[in-house]
Amino acid sequence: AGEQQGAARPGGPVPEGSTARRRREMPEDAPDNNILLFGRWYRRLQRACPPKLEDLQAFVLDRTAYWGDEIALRVFADTFKLVVCVVLQAEERLQVVFPPGGGARSLFYVVLTHRGSVPHYRSVCVADRHVLQMDDRNNAPSPGGAKYVTGGMVGRLREDCPLGWKQHLTPKAMAFMDAQEPQKETLREPVVRHSSTLKESTNAIESLRTSGEAVEGLVIGGFAPGTSFVERICCSREEENPEFLVSKTPGDGDCLFYAMVDVAAEVQREGSLPRTLLASNGKSNGRTPLLEVTVSHLRKMVSDSLSDDELTFFKAANDF
């Protein structure tokens, strides 16, 4: 309730009817898991030998087969040197994905919700930024009056995800986090929700439980009525918070990649695209910035990052 829908991603979202796959058209028995989806995808090729690394890479490039997952999140975190802060709408808590190579200096929030049982990602714009630098010089009050990264936001991240920060942040970013004032512990209240819509159920709760459509959990309390779920999950109730805008993302297999296009566009405007997103200019080791970072570029970046380690895991899980 109270969710604020922001402007579409730069250039405007691809109309849902023209995207590669509309999730509601997926067969009911389709496994909602990239590992199992890979098994189904590969078996349709009817090859006699077990899959090779190039097969897994091709699967990730296939917009009709693979949607973003934690492998992609780790690649994006490492490429852009940021901590991906996943806002879990159903559980009302935060999950973080650190760059495996460390050196994170920024935060990026992305909402993970569900359409039925299917995961759906949407980027979050804080005031007018997607990438939030953990640096006092870049944390001046936003256009809405509050700082981009508040003490409450840092406190909520460390409350839900207490481990891993020192190992994966730059010393400067870690000092920024340590300097934030501690906040009061989050208030949580019991609630019963409809499993598909996530709406709080006040009537017919027993019938929902009988039909298996009820989900019992805890919601964050103490905020004014109408406060967006993103602000409740990400912030403290004790201070002024920035404005959170959730993108309108088509409900297809590219939703996570659309979210990361928002990040790439912002980084690109600052002139600091990572080398993996620079196009060869034909000269020796010469690279030229792309005019526009697309979903295809980001998919290829994830595909190129795969190794025999991921292949071994995917093969074992599918019993090839």
Side-chain angles (χ1 to χ4, degrees), residues 135-152:
D135 180 343
D136 283 325
R137 293 180 305 170
N138 293 289
N139 197 38
S142 69
K147 291 184 176 181
Y148 288 96
V149 181
T150 66

Side-chain angles (χ1 to χ4, degrees), residues 43-65:
R43 289 186 174 96
R44 286 175 178 167
L45 301 179
Q46 297 183 338
R47 295 177 181 169
C49 60
K52 300 177 182 179
L53 180 57
E54 52 263 36
D55 296 314
L56 182 57
Q57 291 172 326
F59 167 70
V60 170
L61 290 174
D62 188 342
R63 297 182 68 189
T64 67

